[in-house]
Amino acid sequence: MDPEIGNIPIFQKKDSWKTMLFLAYQSLGVVYGDLSISPLYVFKSTFAEDITHSETNEEIFGALSFVFWTLTLVPLFKYVFIVLRADDNGEGGTFALYSLICRHANVSLLPNRQVADEDLSTYKYEHPPETTNRSRIKIWLEKHKSLHVALLILVMLGTCMVIGDGVLTPAISVFSAVSGLELSMSKHHHEYAVVPITCFILVCLFALQHYGTHRVGILFAPVVLTWLLCISGLGIYNIIRWNQHVYQALSPYYMFKFLKKTKKGGWMSLGGILLCITGSEAMFADLGHFSYTAIQVAFTFIVYPSLILAYMGQAAYLSKHHRIYTSYQIGFYASVPECLRWPVLGIAILASVVGSQAIISGTFSIINQSQSLGCFPRVKVVHTSEKIHGQIYIPEVNWMLMILCIAVAVGFRDIKHMGNASGLAVITVMLVTTCLTSLVMILCWQKSPLLALMFLLFFGSIEVLYFSASLIKFLEGAWLPILLALFLMILMFVWHYATIKKYEFDLHNKVSLDWLLALGEKLGIVRVPGIALVYTDLVAGVPANFSHFVTNLPAFHRILVFVCVKSVPVPFVPPAERYLVGRVGPPNHRSYRCIVRYGYRDVQEDINAFESELIASLSDFVWLEASLRGHQSGESVDGYEYGLTVAGSSLLTRYRLNDNAELPSEENAIELAPETTVKKVRFFLEENNNSALSEAVREELEDLLAAREFGCTFILGHSHVRAKPGSSIMKKLAIDIAYNFLRRNCRGPDVALRVPPASLLEVGMVYVL
């Protein structure tokens, strides 16, 4: 649900009304493709088996009333007026909510957190920490680590269901659009035409993913707008021709009549009605590509009325047609005049492709975000556009999605089972969003817990009703998203668990700085020309893989940089604040530490650009440190020898960190100095400072430039992982079998970090976890 189409601003701005209307128009193709095609299959799924359409019209009017109020309460009231306000620097989605919660309460399980991360411009609080009242709920959440794990599992569940929706939505969308051929063919022929045509369209759709959507993305909004005008026009036509009093069914009284007459069958049929809100989560997930006002206007004034008219038109038609012998006689195309069926069929197929494209791109995006948080095995991320930031393609995920989509279309062969499966995935994501939003209300917005509880109970009860109706269809298709989510959650949890355990192992086996500084010619250690980039997850200390390297090969490069690429709980890190640079040892040792920070929506640069920016940051650091000495007027700066500096702007920020400092809780395994040992010093440096650099600084910059000419060597650890003796059977299964299988069959860290093979040097490491 994050298609990343178009060159759209990241942060919300107060734009002119013309810009806002243009963004609202663009959002039709990106955000509302999935939601707009739901009339193709809602009534067909609702009346598939559990209830029948009788001459009293109580069933069809009750279903229409449920559709109207569901569209009004969930997408309109919940998302447009409440959830869209829970943005993270203009970004929305499951990870945005989790990021907000982690910044306002100490519940994050991400390793290597630092005080310096809180000074990022995007690391903003709804309320300043010093003025925030520590509520009992916040204290309770922070106190129990089991709740931290439960919160992460909840986020993983929502993520897995979004991926499951990425499998089901293309299948049901394309299949329901192509099923319009049923009215133009005999039953014998359409059985052999609909499924092959659906599979062919799906293969074409996935085969074109590696080209990116920027070339055809401009056509998405006109297609969806044309489709919305089409279904609203058909709705008005059917209302006028068949039943002008169908508006009376919008009364909630018809919902009670519906349930009173149909009883259990009516409750079970709610799984079909639920499909009218598929794609609503995209409004929140794609918030970062548009403004809040643009999404609000597009839904309120275009999408919402068009959908209501479409459903009213279908209900008006069915209220005068009661002889239903086959499923397609109650479907969308039955209410389309015969002379318009072929044009409408063509528009429907195009709209279904647009809706499918949105969820496929969204699946790529959310997997990339999960990978950045260490919750998903490493995959190859390809950027399909040089101009549009964040438009990505993941080859292995793409082909797996294609195989699963075709398997769903061929295996189920009917909208009923696909709808049951898709409905459960959709409503689970909405339930997760409701739970996380209620926490955001308390922790971030400082609202009363009673108000958050009312929000949770009101919208949660609606979603639980639909969830129960979908879950009861377990044997009729709902088993598929549960199976997919279970598999994906096991995969994600095993990977995350092993990643954290490996980090703890590195943390407890790191080497002291004294050992590094003691290395010299007397011990037979040779410094060779060039730059060595030693990758590690540690933000302090010398990693064990470097000590293994030096022990076996007593030489290392003239310029030594310990690089930590880490994720922080913000959507984006501004380039000027990305690099946190410091020294490891005295200046003449030529050893540095560079912490490279990315947000959960950031994409890593090409290795050439990364290498250039890293070296530029080191140069900036050397110059800034020299300027600091000048501003200190001869005062000693030895106290900052192991400090870190944000390199990249004229604002110099230094953080005094104890190299061996850790949180009191060893089990969290997070490197972060206690607040009492953190000292920040800020200086505004003049950009045109013409004071002469000292000879030592000039020599250091020349050494850095000369080393760059010899090239960079990337030193990475090649891990071999096994569970320690005496571990439980579950741990041995997770580490020895599951994790090692994933590690061997997924991309290595060199691919994720985009390291060129010719410059790669791997150091074997055995992890006993």
Side-chain angles (χ1 to χ4, degrees), residues 225 256 288 409 522 526 548 596 639:
L225 180 60
F256 296 106
K522 293 181 180 180
V526 179
H548 284 206
V596 188

Side-chain angles (χ1 to χ4, degrees), residues 505-667:
F505 182 90
D506 283 335
L507 185 63
H508 295 142
N509 290 276
K510 64 184 179 181
V511 182
S512 67
L513 288 179
D514 293 335
W515 174 87
L516 175 66
L517 298 179
L519 296 176
E521 294 182 3
K522 293 181 180 180
L523 298 177
I525 302 296
V526 179
R527 301 293 292 268
V528 298
I531 300 176
L533 303 181
V534 182
Y535 281 85
T536 174
D537 289 331
L538 302 178
V539 295
V542 178
N545 64 347
F546 181 71
S547 66
H548 284 206
F549 170 72
V550 175
T551 302
N552 291 279
L553 183 66
F556 58 92
H557 296 74
R558 177 60 180 156
I559 304 295
L560 181 64
V561 186
F562 295 100
V563 180
C564 174
V565 179
K566 58 178 281 190
S567 294
V568 289
V570 295
F572 300 97
V573 175
E577 303 173 38
R578 189 176 307 284
Y579 295 91
L580 200 58
V581 185
R583 288 193 185 278
V584 180
N588 60 2
H589 198 269
R590 301 294 191 260
S591 298
Y592 310 89
R593 184 180 311 284
C594 183
I595 300 171
V596 188
R597 302 175 290 184
Y598 289 98
Y600 56 84
R601 283 189 183 270
D602 271 325
V603 290
Q604 295 188 20
E605 304 102 324
D606 177 79
I607 191 62
N608 294 324
F610 171 75
E611 187 179 314
S612 299
E613 289 182 12
L614 180 63
I615 295 172
S617 298
L618 293 176
S619 302
D620 289 344
F621 164 74
V622 173
W623 183 84
L624 288 170
E625 189 180 51
S627 301
L628 170 62
R629 289 193 178 94
H631 279 269
Q632 293 284 68
S633 301
E635 187 178 329
S636 173
V637 293
D638 290 341
Y640 300 102
E641 185 177 11
Y642 302 114
L644 295 172
T645 298
V646 178
S649 66
S650 59
L651 176 62
L652 175 60
T653 308
R654 303 210 63 166
Y655 302 89
R656 171 65 174 150
L657 298 179
N658 182 350
D659 190 62
N660 296 312
E662 298 172 18
L663 283 181
S665 175
E666 277 279 326
E667 60 187 14

Side-chain angles (χ1 to χ4, degrees), residues 1-2 34 74 78-79 83 92-98 151 153-169 274 277-286 359 362-363 366 369 420-438 455-456 459-460 462-464 466-468 470 481-482 484-485 488-489 601:
M1 285 181 280
D2 186 9
D34 189 11
V74 178
K78 175 189 166 184
Y79 280 95
V83 175
T94 305
F95 282 98
L97 294 173
Y98 183 62
L151 183 63
I153 290 175
L154 184 67
V155 173
M156 285 183 180
L157 176 62
T159 301
C160 293
M161 286 298 182
V162 170
I163 298 172
D165 198 24
V167 172
L168 297 164
T169 293
L274 160 67
I277 53 175
T278 56
S280 299
E281 185 74 18
M283 285 190 287
F284 184 46
D286 295 324
I359 191 65
T363 304
I366 202 164
Q369 294 169 33
N420 293 337
S422 179
L424 184 63
V426 167
I427 200 63
T428 304
V429 176
M430 291 183 176
L431 267 171
V432 170
T433 299
T434 301
C435 295
L436 294 177
T437 304
S438 61
F455 171 84
L456 179 64
F459 290 106
I462 296 172
E463 290 159 0
V464 166
Y466 283 116
F467 180 81
S468 63
S470 296
I482 295 176
L484 283 173
L488 288 169
M489 284 194 69
R601 283 189 183 270

Side-chain angles (χ1 to χ4, degrees), residues 5 208 210-220 384-385 388 391:
I5 298 169
L208 295 174
H210 71 281
Y211 291 108
T213 55
H214 56 283
R215 293 183 178 89
V216 294
I218 196 170
L219 302 176
F220 286 2
T384 58
S385 174
I388 303 173
Q391 195 171 105

